[in-house]
Amino acid sequence: MTFGFAPAAAPTPAAANRLLEPAEWAAAGIPLLRNPREVVSGLHARHHPQPATAVLAVLDPDERLRASASFVRRPAPADGWMFRNVLLAQLRRIIPHDLRRRTPVRTAVLLYCREGDARWTAEDGAWMWGLRDACTLHGLRCGAYITLTRDGWQVLGEGRGGRRPHSGSEPEPFATSEAPPPAPRAGGAASEILRRAAAAR
């Protein structure tokens, strides 16, 4: 699903209450990613996000990607309630809910590619509010919120980040964790010995 692009606008007074500051986000107990660069690189390679593109991903307990979707931000003021609705619609489209579970086992993370530098903005706060609420309504754990700017990527509320990928970089090859193990080489003395041993059985 793709929406139009508009520069970030200041939130309305009502929408200003539907955002989270970095300190509030850090205090919410958001689970840390074990390997954030691998997650970021994998999503960047899969979706090739440009500024104003959000990438929503659902990870299993081992941080393997189970589902993902990307979409472009709608031209409207930043509002956590609106972002929550968009994220919830995407979650319903890509993966069944986990509302019947006593405790969530899958985690949703959000990567948002935007203009500007890596510092927190009110728009980021609205995305954080929306992600947390959408996860609750879909029975998922709320995971990391990551920005992708010209400076690189940043996991907000954690202080972890890196220079690559960034908003203008070419996609890297898929993360090695998603690639199948290399096939053994055929031929050579070792394979000939194994072939003879198998034939003798």
Side-chain angles (χ1 to χ4, degrees), residues 129-154:
W129 191 97
L131 177 62
R132 185 186 65 176
D133 222 39
C135 287
T136 299
L137 293 172
H138 206 66
L140 302 173
R141 295 170 77 202
C142 179
Y145 173 71
I146 306 158
T147 57
L148 191 69
T149 66
R150 63 174 181 264
D151 297 331
W153 58 271
Q154 177 87 9

Side-chain angles (χ1 to χ4, degrees), residues 9-170:
T12 63
N17 295 324
R18 295 189 287 263
L19 59 81
L20 294 174
E21 301 274 350
E24 294 176 289
W25 183 258
I30 305 299
L32 302 178
L33 289 169
R34 288 193 296 272
N35 193 337
R37 189 186 188 284
E38 186 173 297
V39 171
V40 172
S41 296
L43 294 177
H44 185 262
R46 183 178 294 270
H47 292 279
H48 311 173
Q50 300 297 311
T53 303
V55 180
L56 178 63
V58 179
L59 309 177
D60 70 11
D62 296 321
E63 286 192 5
R64 289 190 296 260
L65 182 65
R66 286 296 167 229
S68 65
S70 61
F71 54 94
V72 178
R73 184 182 174 324
R74 187 186 298 252
D79 185 340
W81 182 81
M82 181 190 76
F83 289 167
R84 184 275 306 274
N85 291 342
V86 172
L87 292 171
L88 189 57
Q90 293 291 335
L91 287 172
R92 287 172 175 161
R93 186 174 66 84
I94 63 174
I95 201 160
H97 68 74
D98 277 349
L99 294 170
R100 292 185 181 87
R101 290 184 177 274
R102 212 172 267 183
T103 55
V105 295
R106 296 184 293 191
T107 303
V109 301
L110 182 63
L111 171 74
Y112 184 54
C113 182
R114 62 169 172 77
E115 302 286 1
D117 57 34
R119 288 175 295 184
W120 180 89
T121 66
E123 183 182 22
D124 295 324
W127 279 117
M128 290 170 160
W129 191 97
L131 177 62
R132 185 186 65 176
D133 222 39
C135 287
T136 299
L137 293 172
H138 206 66
L140 302 173
R141 295 170 77 202
C142 179
Y145 173 71
I146 306 158
T147 57
L148 191 69
T149 66
R150 63 174 181 264
D151 297 331
W153 58 271
Q154 177 87 9
V155 184
L156 291 193
E158 292 183 23
R160 293 192 291 173
R163 293 186 178 180
R164 293 191 64 86
H166 55 78
S167 59
S169 62
E170 288 297 315

